[in-house]
Amino acid sequence: MAAFDECDVLIVGLGPVGAALAALLVDAGVSVIAIDRDTEIYPMPRAVHLDHEIMRILQQLGVAEQVRRNARELPAYEFRAADGQLLMCLDPPAQTPSGWAAGYMFHQPSLERALRDVLAGSPLADVRLGCAFERLTQDAEGVTAEIRDADGPATIRANYLVGCDGGSSAVRAATGGRLFDYQFDEPWLVVDVKVLPGARTPDVNLQICDPARPTTCVLSGPGRHRWEFMLLPGEAVDAMLADEVIQSLIAPWDCGPVEIERRAVYRFHGLVAETWRQQRVLLAGDAAHQTPPFAGQGMCSGLRDAANLAWKLAAVLRDGADETLLDTYQAEREPHTRALIELAIGMGRVVCALDPAAAAARDAEMLARRAAGAPPLPPIRPAPFATGCILAGSPGAGGMFPQPTAGEGVRRLRLDDALGGGAWLITRAPAPVSARGVEVVCVQDDLIAPFRAGVLAWLEAQDAPAVLVRPDRYVFGTGEPAALLAAWDRALAPLQRAA
Ligand SMILES: Cc1cc2nc3c(=O)[nH]c(=O)nc-3n(C[C@H](O)[C@H](O)[C@H](O)COP(=O)(O)OP(=O)(O)OC[C@H]3O[C@@H](n4cnc5c(N)ncnc54)[C@H](O)[C@@H]3O)c2cc1C
């Protein structure tokens, strides 16, 4: 790890999103100063679920196997009535486009530690803990941040600043950012336990839709479990955090010996910042959007932000791409983020019903849907970008490019590892084309041999001679190889090329 006075990108906030963004940027050759006002990783209970696409991002950072070893595969997600009847069951899909299992139940501080370890090994990263952001000014060349650490006030100069400083983002406040509010606001007590020998915790994730006490019970990393209890009107936060109250809430589960590890009361809400970029200042993660956790997607959305933004910042800073590329960040990410927030709020409205009559009507409707064989929910899949840095109209553009795998277990091979970072042009027939920063491969090349069938099947499904895959593994477009490279070149530097 290095120490700089200036950098390409200043990241404010070293939660999972700031740490992932920093790691992706240094991987792309961009220098980073990452500051956090705290000296330790946030200790309170938060994310326990991450999905397959996030594992693909972690794979790029070299920590996916480490995270997988400290996680459990996503089990079924059951919504049950107060009397135990099954209202809805979401089974994880067996296949995903990312080459990983549908999801994983994990321990957030362990993931954050793994990401910080990546930064500790990089000469391009300067991590400063106990260092709080206070104010910023920006001009045509860069951003000056006023910060404060143990030595007092100081400034950091950067080309860009990204606020990854969580829900109460001071960076968002400094840019006058307003929030769209979905008007969902429910207080929940969250309790993480260590599972002791002899304990019998459930092996599925559960929402107990009991109007007397809506309750969530889900797996966490190995040896850990999570309960969430909705606070009822009039219940005081401090009283609910008491040991004896928590013990009395867990007791009916009859799960044997568990040790309370962490507890907190949160207000679950849905918020989206109106503007994610103001000139040289950008927002990512909870600073840009917050969701109730019922779909387990808050951090996942933030890591998708990081993957989307990192290669664009690198293209602007390192490869001379035009700054307008950064405007595609919100255009691409906001619709997907909103779709997941709306899904989570929909789940929350099902779960949080406190009126017994309304809960009974909900149960009857869900049981009828189930009896009729209606699908419980649409799959959580990112819809292809309708706009952004894509060759709009070409088949497959804006969707996630699949990651075929070969082999099993620890010897499983994955396409991304074979082709490496950066953009790829994959052609069906050998093509005499090249471009700086783009790996050109033909499906007939040995490099791609273990994954040939999967890649070819995708190209055939689009009826495309070639695909250009962006560094975040979303499809820029399909078409003839030379035309694709020309379109990619124009997309990255529209103003210079037009001049
Ligand atoms: C109960 C609960 C359950 C959840 N479950 C899931 C789940 O299963 N799956 C999922 O994907 N998500 C889940 N989430 C959401 C997830 O935890 C958050 O979305 C995620 O932590 C956000 O990451 P972040 O890096 O954007 O922000 P944070 O994790 O909040 O990190 C922000 C960082 O910025 C620092 N900071 C703040 N202000 C300053 C400043 N002025 N100067 C310097 N540093 C500053 C803070 O110290 C902190 O380290 C859950 C959340 C809760 C509350």
Side-chain angles (χ1 to χ4, degrees):
M1 196 162 67
F4 317 127
D5 295 327
E6 297 182 356
C7 60
D8 291 327
V9 180
L10 170 61
I11 294 177
V12 176
L14 205 61
V17 176
L21 177 62
L24 288 163
L25 284 170
V26 298
D27 188 47
V30 172
S31 68
V32 163
I33 297 176
I35 65 170
D36 201 289
R37 67 179 172 201
D38 290 342
T39 51
E40 302 292 338
I41 288 171
Y42 189 70
M44 289 298 153
R46 294 194 298 171
V48 284
H49 163 261
L50 56 83
D51 67 33
H52 56 96
E53 188 183 355
I54 303 313
M55 279 302 258
R56 192 175 186 180
I57 296 169
L58 298 176
Q59 175 192 348
Q60 185 182 344
L61 294 173
V63 298
E65 277 305 330
Q66 184 182 342
V67 171
R68 192 189 58 77
R69 278 196 299 276
N70 290 307
R72 293 185 279 178
E73 280 196 21
L74 179 68
Y77 189 15
E78 296 181 354
F79 286 58
R80 290 189 175 270
D83 63 4
Q85 284 196 86
L86 184 61
L87 303 174
M88 175 167 87
C89 179
L90 304 174
D91 284 313
Q95 301 280 334
T96 73
S98 302
W100 291 92
Y104 297 84
M105 305 305 296
F106 78 110
H107 179 236
Q108 180 168 347
S110 305
L111 168 67
E112 294 191 38
R113 170 57 53 211
L115 291 170
R116 288 189 182 192
D117 287 348
V118 173
L119 295 177
S122 171
L124 287 175
D126 175 358
V127 172
R128 302 186 191 174
L129 303 179
C131 177
F133 164 87
E134 294 192 330
R135 276 174 291 278
L136 65 82
T137 50
Q138 48 178 329
D139 52 56
E141 272 79 46
V143 189
T144 302
E146 293 178 42
I147 52 119
R148 182 177 293 274
D149 60 17
D151 297 328
T155 59
I156 297 174
R157 180 82 179 158
N159 286 306
Y160 290 93
L161 182 154
V162 187
C164 302
D165 49 343
S168 317
S169 172
V171 173
R172 190 181 64 232
T175 53
R178 289 199 312 228
L179 289 168
F180 173 88
D181 188 341
Y182 277 93
Q183 303 295 327
F184 183 91
D185 184 16
E186 301 292 354
W188 281 67
L189 166 66
V190 182
V191 179
D192 278 354
V193 300
K194 284 189 175 162
V195 176
L196 303 178
R200 305 166 302 277
T201 46
D203 55 7
V204 294
N205 289 341
L206 289 161
Q207 290 290 356
I208 307 301
C209 306
D210 179 356
R213 173 76 73 192
T215 300
T216 307
C217 176
V218 292
L219 281 63
S220 174
R224 292 188 159 92
H225 219 83
R226 152 84 50 94
W227 274 272
E228 298 175 5
F229 302 99
M230 186 171 164
L231 266 58
L232 304 178
E235 284 180 335
V237 170
D238 286 349
M240 294 302 288
L241 289 167
D243 259 3
E244 52 280 14
V245 173
I246 293 173
Q247 299 287 8
S248 72
L249 289 168
I250 293 178
W253 289 79
D254 189 26
C255 57
V258 295
E259 176 191 318
I260 298 169
E261 185 183 24
R262 313 183 294 182
R263 70 201 74 187
V265 170
Y266 292 99
R267 298 201 76 89
F268 293 167
H269 42 213
L271 301 167
V272 181
E274 286 180 2
T275 309
W276 298 17
R277 175 185 174 213
Q278 191 201 64
Q279 296 154 35
R280 290 176 172 271
V281 178
L282 298 110
L283 301 175
D286 275 19
H289 44 75
Q290 291 153 58
T291 177
F294 301 108
Q297 282 291 330
M299 185 198 75
C300 295
S301 287
L303 262 69
R304 287 188 181 94
D305 294 347
N308 187 293
L309 185 56
W311 73 267
K312 292 174 181 173
L313 280 168
V316 170
L317 285 160
R318 210 192 45 189
D319 304 328
D322 193 86
E323 262 200 341
T324 51
L325 179 62
L326 300 176
D327 288 330
T328 65
Y329 162 58
Q330 181 173 1
E332 292 178 356
R333 288 289 310 126
E334 185 178 354
H336 183 241
T337 302
R338 280 186 178 271
L340 289 176
I341 294 174
E342 287 159 20
L343 174 77
I345 288 176
M347 288 178 168
R349 295 211 194 285
V350 167
V351 173
C352 296
L354 294 180
D355 172 40
R362 170 206 61 202
D363 293 355
E365 188 199 325
M366 291 179 78
L367 288 168
R369 276 179 63 81
R370 196 169 141 68
L377 283 176
I380 303 177
R381 283 267 171 84
F385 306 138
T387 179
C389 183
I390 55 170
L391 187 57
S394 68
M400 190 198 303
F401 190 69
Q403 173 169 234
T405 63
E408 286 302 325
V410 287
R411 273 196 278 280
R412 176 168 295 188
L413 303 173
R414 294 185 166 86
L415 177 72
D416 297 4
D417 295 332
L419 296 191
W424 312 327
L425 178 73
I426 307 179
T427 63
R428 277 163 89 166
V433 293
S434 65
R436 194 165 65 91
V438 180
E439 170 88 16
V440 180
V441 281
C442 172
V443 286
Q444 294 166 21
D445 292 348
D446 288 347
L447 184 63
I448 229 170
F451 319 104
R452 186 171 293 137
V455 173
L456 207 47
W458 189 90
L459 285 167
E460 280 167 0
Q462 321 302 321
D463 195 18
V467 56
L468 201 145
V469 183
R470 311 185 328 179
D472 60 0
R473 304 304 159 234
Y474 278 76
V475 175
F476 169 70
T478 51
E480 292 297 337
L484 273 177
L485 285 180
W488 176 244
D489 196 39
R490 281 195 304 278
L492 291 198
L495 295 187
Q496 283 112 311
R497 296 293 184 271

